[in-house]
C-alpha cells in the first residue's frame, strides 16, 4: 500500500520528468546550434592552424600567446602585439564611449517618457520601439547616408557657408561611434524607462520639501532609484557594441578595425582559425566579466531598495 | 519659487528627449524619401519616382534573397515558437526543481554571447558537419535561426503564462477534463496572444539577422540582409534605398501588429 506521501512524491517526480521532456527540444536546439559550438571554439583555440584554414589536430598554445604577444621572426623573442592591443583598446574605448553617449541621451529621454501622462506614455514607448525593431543594417545604412560627404549634414553646412569643403566623417572612428550610439540608443532607453516608470514621485516631492535643488534631487533620489535600469541599459549597449560587426564594417570602411573585424579576418584571409577562436573567447571573457559585475551590482541595489 | 513649479520637471531633459526622437527618425525619413528619388545619383533630388522599387522588383537576386529570408524566417519562427511554448510551460507556475536554473540559463544563453562569437562558432561547427555529411542546404541556417530565436519567442510566452490565473485550469480538472483537454480548451486559448507575440518577434529577429547568417551561409544562400550588406560595401545605389524602404515598412507593420497583440494583455 502506498502512503499519501509516496503518492505525492511520485506525482512530483512525474511532473519534473514531464517538464524535462517538454523543455527538451528547446534545450537540444540551443545546445546543438549555440552552446555546443562555443565549446568547439574553445578547443580550436588550443590547436595548430591548418594551411588552408581550419586546423591541424595538434595541441598548441600559440594562438593564446599571439592574442596579446607576437614572436619576432628573427630572434624568437616575444613582444606586445601592437596591432592587437590597438584593436582591443579601440573596441573597448568605442564600446565604453558608445555606452556613455547613449546614457547621456537616453536617461533624459527615458525620464521625459516616464513623466508623460499615462495615456501618451504608450505612444512614446511605441516611437522608441519602432527604430529598435527596424533592421540594424538598414539603420546603419541610413546613418551612412546622413554623414557621408554628399550627405545632408555636409550639404547643409556647405550651403550655410560654415565649411568650404565637406567634412570627412565616414570611415573614421567618429562615424563608427555615431552609428553605434544611433543603433543602440533604444537599448539604453527601454530598461531605464522600465525602472523610471515605477519611480515614486512622492519621494521626489519630499526631496523638494526638504529644500533640495533640482540637481540634488536628480543625483540623490532619482538616479539611485533607477540605477538598476541604468546598469541594465549599459550592459545591453556595451555587450553588442564590443562585438559589433555590421556598424564598424559599414561605417568604418574596413580601415578602422574592431574586434569583430579582426576575428573575421582570422577566419577569412588570415587563415588562422585558432587565433580567431582565441580572440572570440577573449571577447566572451570580457562580456562575462561585464555580466558578472552587472549581476553583483543589481543584487546589491536590490537589497538596498528592498 | 515660480508658481508653475512642477516636481517632474528637470531642466534640459525635454530638449534632449526631443533631440533624441528627431535624431532617431531623421536618418530613416531621409532614407525613405530618397528611395523615391528619380535621379540615378544618390546625392541630388531628381523628382518623385517609383522606378527604383520597380528595378528592385525585377532584380532576381533581390527576389531570391527575399524569398529565402521569408522561408528561413517562417520555419525558424514556427519551430522556435513551438519549442519556446513547451519550454515556457515547463519552466513556469512551479516550485523550483533541480535543473530549473540550468534551463533558464540555457534558454537565455544565445542572448549573452556577442553575435560575432556565435557566428564563428557555428562556422567552425557547421563546416565540419558539411564535410562529414556532404549536406550544404538551408538546414544550417534554419537550425541557427531557430536557436537564437528561442529566447525571444520564450519571453512573451513566459510573461503571459506567469500572469495567467490557475483557477480555470483547476476548475476544468475538477470537472474531469483530461490534462490534454484542459490544455487545449483552457490554457492554449488563454496563452494564444503570448504565442502570437512570440511568433512575430521570432520572425522579425530572424529576418533582421546579418552577422550569424553571414558566417553560416554557404555560397548562393544570401538572405536579404546579407545581400544588402554586400551591396552597401560595394557602394550606395538608389536601388538599395528602395529595398531598405520596403524592408522597413514590413518591419514596422509587424512591430505595430505585435504592439497591439501584446497590449491586449488584460
Amino acid at each position: 500500500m502506498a502512503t499519501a506521501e509516496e503518492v505525492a512524491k511520485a506525482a512530483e517526480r512525474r511532473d519534473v520528468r514531464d517538464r524535462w521532456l517538454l523543455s527538451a527540444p528547446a534545450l537540444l536546439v540551443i545546445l546543438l546550434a549555440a552552446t555546443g559550438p562555443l565549446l568547439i571554439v574553445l578547443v580550436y583555440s588550443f590547436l595548430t592552424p591548418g594551411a588552408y584554414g581550419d586546423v591541424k589536430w595538434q595541441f598548441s598554445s600559440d594562438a593564446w600567446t599571439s592574442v596579446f604577444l607576437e614572436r619576432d621572426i628573427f630572434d624568437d623573442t616575444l613582444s606586445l602585439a601592437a596591432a592587437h592591443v590597438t584593436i582591443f583598446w579601440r573596441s573597448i574605448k568605442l564600446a565604453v564611449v558608445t555606452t556613455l553617449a547613449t546614457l547621456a541621451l537616453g536617461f533624459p529621454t527615458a525620464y521625459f517618457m516616464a513623466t508623460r501622462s499615462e495615456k501618451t506614455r504608450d505612444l512614446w514607448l511605441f516611437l522608441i520601439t519602432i527604430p529598435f525593431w527596424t533592421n540594424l543594417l538598414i539603420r546603419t545604412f541610413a546613418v551612412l547616408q546622413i554623414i557621408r560627404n554628399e550627405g545632408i549634414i555636409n550639404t547643409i553646412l556647405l550651403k550655410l557657408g560654415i565649411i568650404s569643403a565637406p567634412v570627412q566623417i565616414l570611415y573614421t572612428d567618429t562615424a563608427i561611434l555615431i552609428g553605434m550610439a544611433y543603433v543602440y540608443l533604444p537599448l539604453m532607453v527601454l530598461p531605464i524607462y522600465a525602472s523610471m516608470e515605477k519611480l515614486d514621485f512622492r519621494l521626489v516631492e519630499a526631496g523638494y520639501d526638504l529644500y533640495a535643488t533640482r540637481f540634488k534631487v536628480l543625483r540623490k533620489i532619482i538616479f539611485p532609484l533607477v540605477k538598476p535600469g541604468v546598469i541594465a541599459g549599459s550592459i545591453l549597449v556595451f555587450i553588442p557594441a564590443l562585438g559589433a560587426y555590421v556598424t564598424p564594417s559599414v561605417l568604418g570602411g574596413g580601415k578602422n578595425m574592431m574586434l569583430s573585424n579582426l576575428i573575421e579576418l582570422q577566419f577569412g584571409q588570415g587563415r588562422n582559425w585558432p587565433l580567431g577562436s582565441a580572440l572570440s573567447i577573449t571577447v566572451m571573457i570580457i562580456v562575462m566579466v561585464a555580466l558578472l559585475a552587472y549581476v553583483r551590482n543589481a543584487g546589491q541595489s536590490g537589497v538596498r531598495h528592498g | 519659487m515660480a508658481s508653475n513649479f512642477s516636481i517632474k520637471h528637470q531642466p534640459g531633459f525635454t530638449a534632449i528627449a526631443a533631440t533624441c526622437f528627431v535624431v532617431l527618425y531623421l536618418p530613416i525619413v531621409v532614407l525613405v524619401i530618397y528611395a523615391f528619388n528619380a535621379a540615378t545619383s544618390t546625392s541630388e533630388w531628381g523628382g518623385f519616382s517609383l522606378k527604383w522599387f520597380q528595378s528592385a522588383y525585377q532584380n532576381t537576386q533581390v527576389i531570391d534573397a527575399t524569398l529565402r529570408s521569408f522561408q528561413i524566417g517562417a520555419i525558424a519562427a514556427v519551430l522556435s515558437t513551438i519549442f519556446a511554448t513547451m519550454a515556457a510551460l515547463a519552466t513556469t507556475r512551479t516550485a523550483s526543481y533541480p535543473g530549473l536554473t540550468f534551463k533558464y540559463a540555457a534558454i537565455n544563453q544565445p542572448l549573452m554571447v556577442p553575435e560575432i562569437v556565435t557566428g564563428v562558432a557555428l562556422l567552425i561547427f557547421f563546416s565540419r558537419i558539411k564535410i562529414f555529411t556532404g549536406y550544404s542546404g538551408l538546414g544550417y541556417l534554419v537550425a541557427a535561426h531557430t536557436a537564437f530565436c528561442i529566447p525571444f519567442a520564450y519571453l512573451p510566452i513566459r510573461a503571459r503564462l506567469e500572469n495567467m490565473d490557475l483557477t480555470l485550469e483547476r476548475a476544468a480538472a475538477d470537472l474531469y477534463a483530461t490534462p490534454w483537454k484542459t490544455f487545449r480548451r483552457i490554457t492554449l486559448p488563454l496563452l494564444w496572444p503570448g504565442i502570437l507575440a512570440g511568433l512575430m518577434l521570432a520572425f522579425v529577429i530572424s529576418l533582421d539577422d546579418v552577422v550569424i547568417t553571414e558566417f553560416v551561409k554557404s555560397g548562393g544562400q544570401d538572405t536579404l540582409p546579407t545581400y544588402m550588406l554586400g551591396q552597401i560595401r560595394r557602394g550606395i545605389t538608389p536601388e538599395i534605398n528602395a529595398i531598405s524602404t520596403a524592408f522597413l515598412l514590413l518591419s514596422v507593420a509587424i512591430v505595430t501588429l505585435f504592439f497591439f497583440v501584446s497590449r491586449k494583455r488584460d
Side-chain angles (χ1 to χ4, degrees), chain B residues 39-107:
Chain B
T40 313
S41 149
T42 46
S43 46
E44 57 194 81
W45 180 254
F48 179 88
S49 159
L50 287 173
K51 70 176 181 186
W52 298 114
F53 287 93
Q54 199 189 0
S55 128
Y57 184 70
Q58 281 161 352
N59 185 337
T60 48
Q61 273 181 301
V62 174
I63 298 302
D64 279 355
T66 308
L67 291 177
R68 200 171 291 117
S69 273
F70 282 168
Q71 193 186 348
I72 295 167
I75 302 173
V78 169
L79 286 179
S80 62
T81 308
I82 293 172
F83 297 163
T85 308
M86 291 164 68
L89 285 165
T91 52
T92 51
R93 311 191 294 180
T94 173
S96 182
Y97 59 91
L100 188 61
T101 320
F102 163 77
K103 284 182 190 174
Y104 284 139
I107 289 166

Side-chain angles (χ1 to χ4, degrees), chain B residues 94-164:
Chain B
T94 173
S96 182
Y97 59 91
L100 188 61
T101 320
F102 163 77
K103 284 182 190 174
Y104 284 139
I107 289 166
N108 287 312
Q109 185 271 321
L111 296 178
M112 309 286 184
V113 181
E115 276 189 299
I116 178 82
V117 178
T118 311
V120 299
L122 291 174
L123 169 75
I124 293 176
F125 183 51
F126 287 159
S127 70
R128 282 255 146 208
I129 299 184
K130 267 177 212 171
I131 295 166
F132 193 69
T133 61
Y135 170 74
S136 59
L138 285 180
Y140 302 108
L141 282 172
V142 170
H145 281 232
T146 306
F148 69 70
C149 283
I150 286 176
F152 289 98
Y154 177 80
L155 280 170
I157 299 170
R158 193 193 138 180
R160 178 128 192 130
L161 267 173
E162 278 184 339
N163 292 331
M164 224 155 86

